[in-house]
Amino acid sequence: MLLRDPISLQNEWVRLEPLAPDHAADLAVAADGLEHAWYTLVPAPDAIGSEIRDRLALREDGSSNPWAVRRLDTGRAVGMTSYLNIDQPNRRVEIGSTWLAVSAQRTAVNTAAKRLLLGHAFEECDAIAVEFRTHWHNRQSREAIARLGAKQDGVLRNHRIGAEGTLRDTVVFSILPAEWPAVRLGLDARLARD
């Protein structure tokens, strides 16, 4: 199976559905009320349609594979996530461009979604590395990535220029196949407590 193949993934908590225009209404509600911190990109509710179109264009060129995150307890789509920077010949991928509604934060939703994405990458797509990248100043994201069991590889200094002309230092984390069994057990144990 290829990392770019659109596929639905499901466990007890969430279903990751290939992103589609019909997710827009739920996602606009999910984005409403999110604090748009300067160091992260979350679409405004009225920009969800264009965000979906942009992510679908990246799917078409093979560099990304986006999903809507649907909570099974409510039936509502509560955010987005993607495989990014897909490097199929080298079986490498990044998990990112993830955002969740306030109501889904600090619940099992993010852990359950990451469990599905990591399991699919390592067990179905034979990935040799799964990366996570975040802004140096996004401490919440850095802590969440570390809790998943990813190891920090380093910091790409002055990696990008932000919308306001600020320079972004990008923190890179990864999980390797030999680490996946322990990471999987950790994620499963966290989900069993939720």
Side-chain angles (χ1 to χ4, degrees):
M1 182 164 290
L2 301 177
L3 291 159
R4 68 177 180 264
D5 290 343
I7 184 172
S8 291
L9 304 169
Q10 182 172 320
N11 56 25
E12 183 178 335
W13 298 271
V14 299
R15 182 172 52 250
L16 302 183
E17 301 171 355
L19 187 63
D22 61 350
H23 291 114
D26 273 0
L27 293 174
V29 170
D32 189 33
L34 284 174
E35 293 296 323
H36 300 288
W38 63 272
Y39 52 75
T40 190
L41 298 174
V42 177
D46 62 353
I48 290 293
S50 62
E51 178 71 13
I52 290 172
R53 284 189 298 277
D54 290 348
R55 290 192 190 205
L56 293 179
L58 292 172
R59 178 193 291 155
E60 288 303 311
D61 77 14
S63 66
S64 180
N65 192 355
W67 284 274
V69 179
R70 185 176 301 279
R71 285 184 79 149
L72 295 183
D73 61 347
T74 66
R76 302 292 303 255
V78 295
M80 295 182 189
T81 192
S82 295
Y83 281 164
L84 304 170
N85 299 313
I86 295 172
D87 182 355
Q88 190 63 53
N90 291 300
R91 300 191 327 267
R92 296 183 63 90
V93 69
E94 174 189 347
I95 295 174
S97 290
T98 301
W99 64 268
L100 295 172
V102 172
S103 64
Q105 294 175 15
R106 296 187 185 357
T107 69
V109 170
N110 188 51
T111 303
K114 294 301 189 290
R115 171 63 175 88
L116 288 169
L117 293 168
L118 288 163
H120 181 66
F122 287 119
E123 296 165 12
E124 304 299 325
C125 299
D126 198 27
I128 64 167
V130 176
E131 285 186 1
F132 299 86
R133 295 179 177 216
T134 192
H135 196 294
W136 173 264
H137 290 287
N138 192 342
R139 294 186 193 285
Q140 180 180 348
S141 179
R142 287 169 52 194
E143 290 168 3
I145 293 167
R147 278 194 308 273
L148 291 173
K151 294 191 171 109
Q152 184 174 321
D153 294 325
V155 179
L156 302 174
R157 301 187 65 205
N158 286 355
H159 182 233
R160 292 195 180 162
I161 300 172
E164 297 83 26
T166 59
L167 297 173
R168 169 185 160 142
D169 290 346
T170 299
V171 186
V172 181
F173 295 81
S174 67
I175 299 172
L176 303 178
E179 299 162 344
W180 170 234
V183 170
R184 180 179 56 223
L185 288 171
L187 293 172
D188 289 346
R190 282 175 56 192
L191 289 168
R193 291 191 299 266
D194 285 335

